[in-house]
Amino acid sequence: LGLKVHFTELDMDVLPAAGDGTGADITKNFKLQKKLNPYAGGIPDSVQQALAQRYAGLFRLFLKHRGTVGRVTLWGVSDGGSWLNDWPVRGRTNYPLLYDRDLKPKPAYYSIIKEANQAARLED
C-alpha cells in the first residue's frame, strides 16, 4: 500500500516474566518476589550488553527498512521513569530504556548510534 510503518511505545523488559508473560493487561498484579526482581541493586554488565545487542539488532532491521519505517518512538527516556518498574509487579526495578536513572546513556544507546553510523557509511 506504500504506507509508512510506525513503531511506538518501544522498550525492552530485562526481568523474568511474571505469570504467562504475554500481553499488557494493566489489571495484572503479582506479588514482589526476589526471583522476579533479580537486579534490584543494579543491572549486571552481561545483562546490559545483552540489552544493547537486542536494541542493535532491532534498529539494524529498522534501518534496513528505513524506506518503510517512518518513525520509532520509545516508551520513555530513562529507566527511572519506566512503567515496567511497577508492572506487573509493584516495586520491581527494571532497565528497559536507553538512559539510566541518572539520565546517562547506556550501552543500548551507543549500540543504536553505532548501527545508524554504519548504515550512513554504507549509503555514502
Side-chain angles (χ1 to χ4, degrees):
L1 295 173
L3 302 173
K4 294 283 186 175
V5 176
H6 294 189
F7 290 87
T8 64
E9 303 165 4
L10 175 64
D11 56 15
M12 294 194 192
D13 196 341
V14 299
L15 298 178
D20 64 12
T22 62
D25 180 353
I26 61 170
T27 64
K28 289 184 181 181
N29 192 3
F30 295 89
K31 183 178 173 157
L32 182 61
Q33 304 169 46
K34 186 174 176 79
K35 70 179 184 176
L36 296 176
N37 193 31
Y39 315 128
I43 186 173
D45 188 58
S46 61
V47 177
Q48 190 83 271
Q49 295 306 318
L51 179 64
Q53 291 306 309
R54 287 173 62 198
Y55 269 110
L58 190 55
F59 274 81
R60 192 175 311 119
L61 185 63
F62 293 156
L63 288 162
K64 178 180 177 184
H65 298 284
R66 63 184 158 273
T68 304
V69 176
R71 176 175 297 141
V72 177
T73 307
L74 279 78
W75 189 270
V77 176
S78 74
D79 293 338
S82 173
W83 71 289
L84 289 173
N85 288 313
D86 286 313
W87 184 86
V89 180
R90 293 219 183 275
R92 283 207 303 187
T93 305
N94 211 322
Y95 306 86
L97 295 165
L98 303 181
Y99 290 83
D100 67 16
R101 284 166 170 72
D102 296 321
L103 298 176
K104 293 192 170 93
K106 295 170 32 181
Y109 168 85
Y110 294 108
S111 72
I112 291 171
I113 297 300
K114 181 179 175 184
E115 292 299 325
N117 287 338
Q118 287 176 347
R121 277 194 292 277
L122 291 174
E123 283 186 350
D124 291 341

